[in-house]
Amino acid sequence: MTLKSSPGLSAPSESGASPSPGAPDGLRVPPLAAGMWPVLGHGWKLARDPLGFLSRLRDDGEVVRLKLGPKTVYAITTPELTGALALSTDFEVGGPLWESLEDLLGKQGVATSNGPVHQRQRRSIQPAFRLEAIPAYGPVMAEEAHALVERWSSGRAIDVMEESFRVAVRVAARCLMRGSYMDERSERICAALATLFSGMYQRMVMPLGPLYRLPLPANREFNHALADLHLLVDEIVAARRASSQKPDDLLTALLDAKDENGRPIGEQEIHDQVVAIVTAGSETVGSVVMSLLQVLTDHPDQADKIREEVKTVVGERPVSFGDVRKLPHTANVIYETMRVRPAVWILTRRAVADTRLGGYRIPAGADVVYSPYAIQHDPRSYERPEEFDPDRWLPERAKRVPKYAMTPFGVGNRKCPGDHFSIAELTLITAAVASAYRFEQAPGSDDRPRIGITLRPRKLLLRALPR
């Protein structure tokens, strides 16, 4: 076997671990994680207690083997090695997570593509997210944030999932795919994604193949939601084309995009790209908004601090995009929320070459998994990791956090291009609602984590109490 050492990957001597005796290349086979069940392997524990299971893996080693059904998967447990993994060209998007997402995201969108196609797709969408483009979206973000404040003034209990997804979808649609055709479709998108992301997680950790094709109620619900989402995307593209309008937005850029040979990109790629935009603009951001509202409810002292900070900056006028950079404590609350309750809590990659990671052999074709949640709750990286402490992101304290121990938008060529867009949106929403309301849970609320492809509260119902 020809072993390739990728730039940024740790050599055996750098990992501090001794190679296995007699290994010709000086590399070890990673240890098998504890707690494997017959037939199901570690998939049962991943399905029953994924956050706890993944958080304990570092006790077994920096790199450990998992069995998910018949598959062997390698789990990476340290910040240093997850950073090296993300920056290496020896790994690409692939593995159980992305296989489970292909029915939703397709194979031709920027979320699931690799190599030159991925690079070309990122170039086509990047202008919409460049730093100098974000201020143009500010009025829409602020308008939607203040619309939440108005809608919640009735005193009725708030279904936080519905409201969070609605605002996320509307911001994405109005900024990136301008048109009223998204308004009436936002609730259908939210309902479809809620079903899909729950079902896809089960398919990832328990890859039972043919069983998911049986006409069981859960499978029928999943298939109906999937078909409806793809129909919605086709409607969105058709509505834009029928309008004959070409606003300066991301959807126009996709419809005008060319492939490597200068020809218009295919219909399937346009479809998959729109799915990726809608998904990222609703499920991920919406999950963070849900967690932020839970934080404001559980930590009213932090909500009070945000209100005072906003009042100091804006006085009596409504908060606007120009205020975003003047609200450091609000930003720290958002960052700490993404640490404690990361929406993207698990990621997978696939090795494209025989390589090494932390002194361990990773064979070509192997699937690799790591958990931002586990990294961000590790006491070896954070003091009192279970404590919600926004001040840990003050400049002097933030320096003590290990590199790659907090990467909410990813690293390297897979870093989310919409990071500045999302932070501005989240800041305006948090500042607006915390300034207007205090929150308490309503009867029937269940704030326990809901484990799907993203992480968010299970069923959060709140009452907004005017300040």
Side-chain angles (χ1 to χ4, degrees):
M1 176 176 75
T2 302
L3 191 73
K4 180 179 179 183
S5 178
S6 301
L9 297 189
S10 302
S13 60
E14 295 171 334
S15 70
S18 302
S20 302
D25 50 26
L27 300 179
R28 296 166 292 166
V29 175
L32 190 66
M36 186 173 73
W37 284 57
V39 182
L40 295 177
H42 297 96
W44 179 249
K45 285 185 174 290
L46 267 175
R48 292 294 300 272
D49 181 23
L51 302 181
F53 176 73
L54 291 168
S55 295
R56 291 187 291 270
L57 285 181
R58 191 168 179 181
D59 295 335
D60 295 334
E62 297 178 314
V63 183
V64 297
R65 284 179 294 135
L66 305 178
K67 296 291 288 185
L68 300 183
K71 299 183 70 171
T72 296
V73 176
Y74 295 77
I76 311 303
T77 67
T78 69
E80 177 187 6
L81 294 185
T82 58
L85 174 73
L87 293 170
S88 172
T89 57
D90 284 353
F91 299 91
E92 65 180 15
V93 160
L97 171 63
W98 302 105
E99 288 172 356
S100 70
L101 284 172
E102 280 183 354
D103 283 344
L104 170 60
L105 300 178
K107 298 182 179 181
Q108 297 186 37
V110 69
T112 52
S113 62
N114 285 292
V117 172
H118 175 74
Q119 294 171 12
R120 187 254 299 162
Q121 290 174 333
R122 279 187 71 95
R123 285 194 300 270
S124 70
I125 68 174
Q126 192 65 51
F129 294 109
R130 67 190 188 277
L131 193 57
E132 57 268 30
I134 305 303
Y137 306 134
V140 170
M141 295 177 179
E143 183 179 323
E144 291 296 336
H146 294 300
L148 286 180
V149 173
E150 292 299 320
R151 280 205 302 275
W152 296 350
S153 62
S154 67
R156 292 193 299 267
I158 301 165
D159 183 329
V160 174
M161 183 187 77
E162 180 181 316
E163 288 290 292
S164 299
F165 281 0
R166 180 184 287 120
V167 70
V169 168
R170 286 184 61 83
V171 169
R174 293 186 62 196
C175 292
L176 305 175
M177 296 181 292
R178 298 172 190 167
S180 60
Y181 48 79
M182 285 296 291
D183 291 350
E184 69 265 24
R185 295 177 173 92
S186 61
E187 290 189 15
R188 284 170 61 194
I189 291 171
C190 295
L193 288 177
T195 299
L196 291 169
F197 275 80
S198 177
M200 285 174 177
Y201 176 70
Q202 299 300 321
R203 285 161 168 73
M204 179 182 76
V205 301
M206 300 182 71
L208 303 178
L211 292 182
Y212 294 122
R213 293 193 289 272
L214 296 177
L216 302 174
N219 292 343
R220 288 199 299 269
E221 183 182 20
F222 180 91
N223 292 333
H224 175 76
L226 184 63
D228 195 39
L229 184 68
H230 285 299
L231 176 62
L232 281 164
V233 169
D234 289 339
E235 290 175 1
I236 291 166
V237 174
R240 168 58 64 82
R241 284 185 163 142
S243 72
S244 300
Q245 296 177 351
K246 298 184 69 173
D248 184 16
D249 65 4
L250 190 54
L251 184 53
T252 293
L254 292 175
L255 294 174
D256 289 346
K258 302 292 190 293
D259 66 14
E260 292 80 357
N261 298 312
R263 295 188 294 264
I265 63 174
E267 290 299 310
Q268 188 62 52
E269 182 174 336
I270 292 171
H271 178 97
D272 291 354
Q273 290 282 62
V274 174
V275 170
I277 295 166
V278 171
T279 301
S282 54
E283 175 70 17
T284 307
V285 174
S287 295
V288 176
V289 173
M290 288 186 72
S291 293
L292 278 164
L293 288 167
Q294 183 176 349
V295 163
L296 296 179
T297 306
D298 294 345
H299 301 277
D301 58 319
Q302 297 298 334
D304 291 343
K305 289 181 180 179
I306 291 172
R307 181 174 184 267
E308 289 304 313
E309 181 176 63
V310 173
K311 188 175 181 180
T312 299
V313 171
V314 308
E316 298 303 319
R317 65 173 173 80
V319 65
S320 65
F321 179 83
D323 304 315
V324 166
R325 292 181 177 273
K326 304 171 187 175
L327 303 172
H329 185 74
T330 304
N332 287 346
V333 168
I334 294 167
Y335 213 60
E336 179 71 347
T337 299
M338 291 191 293
R339 182 192 71 83
V340 174
R341 299 183 175 95
V344 179
W345 64 278
I346 189 168
L347 289 165
T348 62
R349 294 288 185 267
R350 179 163 289 153
V352 296
D354 294 324
T355 187
R356 62 187 185 181
L357 195 60
Y360 292 98
R361 179 187 295 108
I362 308 293
D367 293 334
V368 181
V369 60
Y370 64 99
S371 170
Y373 178 94
I375 296 291
Q376 292 165 199
H377 284 254
D378 192 335
R380 282 154 284 206
S381 295
Y382 293 95
E383 299 175 5
R384 303 181 303 279
E386 300 307 316
E387 178 181 326
F388 188 86
D389 180 13
D391 288 345
R392 73 173 77 244
W393 301 111
L394 292 172
E396 288 306 312
R397 289 184 61 187
K399 291 178 182 178
R400 301 200 291 267
V401 176
K403 191 175 185 181
Y404 305 123
M406 180 66 182
T407 56
F409 296 101
V411 175
N413 67 357
R414 308 305 307 202
K415 182 180 179 181
C416 173
D419 51 351
H420 297 295
F421 182 100
S422 298
I423 288 294
E425 175 185 2
L426 292 168
T427 302
L428 284 166
I429 291 171
T430 305
V433 299
S435 296
Y437 298 113
R438 293 179 293 108
F439 297 95
E440 63 179 28
Q441 293 203 43
S445 181
D446 184 353
D447 63 3
R448 290 175 296 170
R450 178 184 180 278
I451 309 299
I453 296 295
T454 56
L455 182 67
R456 53 182 170 83
R458 191 168 296 185
K459 184 180 181 181
L460 191 60
L461 304 176
L462 299 180
R463 293 196 184 281
L465 308 175
R467 289 185 177 273

